[in-house]
Amino acid sequence: MATPEENNALVMVTPDAQPNKRRKKKSIVWEHFTIETVSPGCRRACCNQCKQSFAYSTGSKVAGTSHLKRHIAKGTCPALLRNQGNQYTPGSGNGTASDTPKRRYRSPSSPYISFDADRCRHEIAKMIIMHDYPLHMVEHSGFVTFVQNLQPRFGMVSFNTVQGDCVATYLREKQNVMKFIEGMPGRVCLTLDTWTSSQSLGYVFVTGHFIDSDWKPHRRILNVVMEPYPDSDTALSHAVACCLSDWSLEGKLFSVTYNHPVGEPGLESLRSLLCIKNPLILNGQLLIGNCIAHTLSSIAKDVLWAGRDVVKKIRDSVKYVKTSESHEEKFVELKEQLQVPSERSLSVDDQSQWNTTYLMLVAASELKEVFSCLDTSDPDYKEAPSMEHWRQVETVCAYLRPLHDAANILTSSTNSPTAITFFHEVWKIQTDLARAVASEDPFISVITKAMQEKISKYWKDCSLVLAIAVVMDPRFKMKLVEFSFSKLYGEDAPTYIKIVDDGIHELFLEYVALPLPLTPTYADEGNTENNMRTEDHQGTLLSDNGLTDFDMFIMETTSQQMKSELDQYLEESLLPRVQEFDVLSWWKLNKLKYPTLSKMARDILTIPVSTAGPNSVFDTVNKELDEYRTSLRPETVEALVCAKDWLRYGSAEVSNAVVKMEF
């Protein structure tokens, strides 16, 4: 028979002696604590790391695990703090990084994550870059309080520190972009987008455009160059020189497209620089071009200025309807009574975006009957447009429509518009204006005169580039050039057609004689093609013994008759005009058939026609850098703008060894 002492001992041991009858502990804390019995009816939880003891149960009263979780998760355990440098992993028995948890938990509590101040600084810098936050936000009291409550152990950084972190992020990403550019097989095309500031400083955003070895187009902002005198003759050439030097692109530049008005001295300065830094492809005729978005916006502004009186009258009428709820209700009621079929809705235009003015005029024109009835039914509505006004509105819309349709192509974020597309768009505008010039209507005459002057200048400067791009499309080749020029130039067409034909042949001969740039990828492609051709020859010729003289005979008798890749390409039949045709994919498939011509085609099809992004195609005012950005050092502005662009495309995994820079 057991003694009373033995019975008490049995009662104490039984719960732990039969674990299969107890519910298995699932809380994460039991990876860090061990239950110890300190006296009959009293057990405590002992920390495996620091050996501190915590209440667990006394008799039927259980203390729970919340205080144990706080000991681990909030970093109050001194042993865990010492082990942070060793990357202590929750669940390890001895505090080493190699130990891993032995089981998964369904506890909602988050596992312990070691605090890393450097990574926090890096993430703050990325946040500022990606969302255009001011660098001074790290010193704002609200942000400081928020972070201190989130993680008291994080030492807040100063403006100078976060500025250094942002520049460090830029430098790290720049190394990735450099490797990316080194792998590009062809030449680079640049666009120069000039921004202004309230201090009359200029900032030239230099963007590089490339086509990779898989024939996919890419673009990256490469530099933001501050120009104290943006209207000087050397501003653009200085920005290009900075880019070529910074990215080692000397000898690899193919074209430059700009949006800032440049006089002949400025263009001459740019040509002189390119002559020194770059082999002049086609005598430099392809190197410089105007931005089509800027040209279209400039022409649209002229059209709207010519019709400014009637545009203001329409704008005032739209304001009358849209700025009063009762007026708008009355307008909608009249529209329903008159059964006007238009589905367009009225909206007041944003005068910094000319497309909104065009859409306002179109909508108002379709609803002119409603405005006329509103004039008779609402005594407060005065100065309604007359029939002559509506006729002028329709004229303005008719001349803005082709500009709007052409510019709208540039807003696509999926497909990059090419010179091929805009050859036809600009040609259509040219031919329409040529017919309208003969009009005796003074209003039309004023509009068309301003339009024709600017579109003719663009065509004169860029038609060769646009036409050569068209030739590289197997659906058109020289045939579309011949057709378009015959319509545009009449009897003089053969002269202009010959200019394009001679230019494309001269350019091809330059690629045959000087197949630059010999980047590693470009050279690898050439070697691959040569190896394939060599293997083919080895498969057909068993021996070259006695055939040397035969080879010389073949060269002497056929060298004058062999057609070049270009002539062979031009003489082949046109491909059907499929709407979704991908010209880059076609050249990718035919690069073995046309090894030299395909390299030339890749560079030509890289040429960007616009410097504007999809959101600024319709801008009527110069883009201006805000006062905060212009208060920063030019190097910091460049770092913030470029790094934001690069981070959009992803980057390599960031190491814990964050580069630190102090200013």
Side-chain angles (χ1 to χ4, degrees):
M1 183 174 178
T3 64
E5 291 79 5
E6 291 172 337
N7 286 334
N8 289 337
L10 184 61
V11 171
M12 291 171 58
V13 172
T14 300
D16 292 326
Q18 298 177 345
N20 59 318
K21 293 183 180 180
R22 295 180 63 85
R23 184 169 60 88
K24 191 174 184 180
K25 292 182 174 62
K26 297 178 180 178
S27 175
I28 193 171
V29 301
W30 302 120
E31 287 293 328
H32 307 279
F33 289 89
T34 302
I35 297 176
E36 295 180 350
T37 302
V38 295
S39 64
C42 177
R43 291 186 295 171
R44 293 183 69 81
C46 180
C47 177
N48 296 335
Q49 297 299 316
C50 66
K51 305 305 180 185
Q52 289 187 51
S53 179
F54 297 84
Y56 179 62
S57 67
T58 303
S60 60
K61 185 178 180 181
V62 180
T65 61
S66 297
H67 61 307
L68 307 181
K69 292 176 184 177
R70 286 194 295 271
H71 179 70
I72 295 298
K74 294 200 173 181
T76 57
C77 176
L80 281 179
L81 293 175
R82 289 194 298 272
N83 285 332
Q84 278 185 18
N86 299 322
Q87 296 181 347
Y88 172 73
T89 304
S92 59
N94 56 8
T96 62
S98 60
D99 293 330
T100 56
K102 296 180 182 179
R103 63 178 184 266
R104 296 178 64 88
Y105 302 98
R106 285 180 289 179
S107 170
S109 301
S110 300
Y112 173 76
I113 300 175
S114 62
F115 171 66
D116 187 336
D118 283 342
R119 183 170 287 275
C120 289
R121 281 178 51 183
H122 171 72
E123 291 301 331
I124 287 177
K126 276 183 63 177
M127 174 189 71
I128 288 173
I129 291 170
M130 293 172 66
H131 302 291
D132 295 325
Y133 294 144
L135 275 69
H136 284 91
M137 72 173 292
V138 296
E139 297 177 346
H140 294 170
S141 58
F143 183 73
V144 171
T145 302
F146 167 71
V147 174
Q148 289 295 322
N149 280 280
L150 197 65
Q151 177 49 268
R153 292 164 53 206
F154 179 66
M156 287 306 300
V157 293
S158 66
F159 166 82
N160 285 339
T161 301
V162 79
Q163 182 177 218
D165 290 344
C166 288
V167 173
T169 300
Y170 157 78
L171 293 174
R172 183 170 47 251
E173 293 297 327
K174 187 174 183 178
Q175 297 302 314
N176 297 330
V177 178
M178 278 189 165
K179 293 177 183 177
F180 170 78
I181 293 176
E182 287 173 1
M184 291 295 125
R187 301 176 193 267
V188 61
C189 296
L190 298 180
T191 54
L192 310 179
D193 190 10
T194 303
W195 291 46
T196 60
S197 73
S198 57
Q199 291 90 357
S200 72
L201 300 173
Y203 292 82
V204 182
F205 288 51
V206 185
T207 302
H209 300 258
F210 324 86
I211 292 179
D212 64 20
S213 55
D214 197 37
W215 292 82
K216 301 295 182 186
H218 299 272
R219 58 169 297 280
R220 297 289 187 276
I221 297 179
L222 301 180
N223 295 94
V224 178
V225 184
M226 193 270 282
E227 294 293 340
Y229 308 100
D231 295 323
S232 68
D233 296 336
T234 58
L236 292 188
S237 58
H238 174 255
V240 172
C242 289
C243 178
L244 296 181
S245 174
D246 195 19
W247 296 89
S248 301
L249 293 175
E250 290 90 346
K252 301 177 185 177
L253 184 61
F254 191 71
S255 75
V256 175
T257 305
Y258 57 86
N259 73 334
H260 193 63
V262 183
E264 190 55 40
L267 294 179
E268 195 56 43
S269 173
L270 195 53
R271 289 192 189 98
S272 300
L273 165 76
L274 299 174
C275 184
I276 298 171
K277 298 285 187 180
N278 206 72
L280 281 178
I281 300 299
L282 202 56
N283 199 29
Q285 295 179 77
L286 302 182
L287 278 171
I288 303 167
N290 296 306
C291 167
I292 184 64
H294 179 266
T295 300
L296 294 174
S297 292
S298 180
I299 297 172
K301 284 171 61 178
D302 288 344
V303 174
L304 292 172
W305 177 253
R308 59 191 178 280
D309 293 335
V310 70
V311 170
K312 182 181 184 304
K313 184 168 282 291
I314 299 301
R315 183 182 293 121
D316 290 343
S317 292
V318 174
K319 282 182 181 180
Y320 180 84
V321 172
K322 297 298 292 184
T323 55
S324 168
E325 188 174 344
S326 60
H327 294 167
E328 187 166 15
E329 289 176 355
K330 178 65 175 176
F331 190 86
V332 171
E333 182 182 335
L334 286 172
K335 178 186 174 184
E336 292 175 351
Q337 290 176 0
L338 295 169
Q339 297 182 346
V340 176
S342 176
E343 296 296 325
R344 295 183 183 271
S345 57
L346 291 174
S347 60
V348 182
D349 63 330
D350 173 1
Q351 295 181 53
S352 67
Q353 299 273 312
W354 67 266
N355 63 315
T356 63
T357 306
Y358 166 72
L359 294 174
M360 177 187 73
L361 295 176
V362 170
S365 181
E366 292 186 4
L367 297 167
K368 61 185 177 183
E369 294 177 48
V370 186
F371 279 106
S372 297
C373 286
L374 187 65
D375 182 35
T376 57
S377 62
D378 186 347
D380 293 331
Y381 177 53
K382 300 172 183 178
E383 298 185 7
S386 65
M387 293 306 295
E388 176 61 21
H389 289 142
W390 288 119
R391 187 189 68 80
Q392 291 182 359
V393 168
E394 291 175 358
T395 300
V396 170
C397 289
Y399 284 99
L400 286 178
R401 187 173 298 112
L403 304 179
H404 181 265
D405 292 345
N408 217 37
I409 299 171
L410 297 169
T411 62
S412 171
S413 57
T414 53
N415 298 318
S416 300
T418 65
I420 298 171
T421 304
F422 280 90
F423 174 86
H424 194 59
E425 293 296 325
V426 176
W427 171 78
K428 284 193 302 183
I429 297 172
Q430 279 272 74
T431 51
D432 289 344
L433 285 176
R435 289 194 296 266
V437 167
S439 174
E440 296 181 358
D441 187 315
F443 186 71
I444 293 177
S445 179
V446 171
I447 291 177
T448 55
K449 182 179 179 181
M451 290 182 70
Q452 192 170 43
E453 182 179 339
K454 290 187 175 179
I455 201 69
S456 296
K457 184 181 185 308
Y458 179 85
W459 183 259
K460 178 183 176 182
D461 294 341
C462 302
S463 59
L464 181 60
V465 176
L466 300 178
I468 287 179
V470 166
V471 176
M472 291 295 100
D473 189 324
R475 297 172 298 172
F476 303 122
K477 302 183 183 179
M478 281 296 298
K479 295 300 182 183
L480 182 58
V481 175
E482 293 167 2
F483 168 80
S484 302
F485 281 15
S486 63
K487 296 286 187 181
L488 191 61
Y489 296 114
E491 295 179 355
D492 296 330
T495 302
Y496 293 97
I497 293 170
K498 187 175 186 302
I499 291 173
V500 176
D501 189 62
D502 290 347
I504 199 78
H505 279 84
E506 182 182 338
L507 183 60
F508 176 73
L509 291 176
E510 291 186 22
Y511 272 78
V512 172
L514 191 68
L516 290 176
L518 288 177
T519 60
T521 306
Y522 191 100
D524 290 345
E525 281 191 349
N527 291 336
T528 302
E529 292 160 6
N530 290 335
N531 291 339
M532 291 182 68
R533 288 195 291 272
T534 302
E535 291 169 5
D536 290 342
H537 291 172
Q538 289 174 345
T540 56
L541 292 178
L542 298 177
S543 172
D544 284 338
N545 294 335
L547 295 178
T548 304
D549 292 341
F550 174 72
D551 291 338
M552 292 297 295
F553 171 76
I554 293 296
M555 291 179 63
E556 291 172 358
T557 57
T558 62
S559 60
Q560 300 300 319
Q561 301 172 15
M562 289 181 64
K563 293 179 180 177
S564 68
E565 291 177 29
L566 176 59
D567 289 330
Q568 180 184 344
Y569 164 77
L570 291 175
E571 291 179 10
E572 288 180 349
S573 300
L574 300 181
L575 295 184
R577 290 198 308 278
V578 181
Q579 188 67 27
E580 301 299 323
F581 180 74
D582 187 342
V583 65
L584 292 178
S585 295
W586 187 89
W587 279 106
K588 178 184 177 181
L589 292 173
N590 288 272
K591 66 179 182 180
L592 296 182
K593 182 178 180 181
Y594 304 111
T596 302
L597 187 61
S598 64
K599 292 180 174 65
M600 186 177 88
R602 173 159 46 199
D603 291 341
I604 290 172
L605 297 174
T606 306
I607 298 175
V609 292
S610 172
T611 67
N615 296 327
S616 56
V617 168
F618 297 99
D619 285 355
T620 58
V621 294
N622 293 330
K623 285 181 283 189
E624 185 172 311
L625 216 60
D626 60 71
E627 291 186 15
Y628 179 78
R629 287 292 176 95
T630 54
S631 70
L632 301 174
R633 297 170 51 172
E635 297 85 357
T636 303
V637 174
E638 181 176 57
L640 294 173
V641 172
C642 293
K644 179 182 179 180
D645 180 69
W646 300 340
L647 287 170
R648 289 172 49 223
Y649 301 98
S651 60
E653 195 67 28
V654 179
S655 66
N656 284 327
V658 177
V659 180
K660 299 177 184 177
M661 295 185 65
E662 299 290 344
F663 285 84

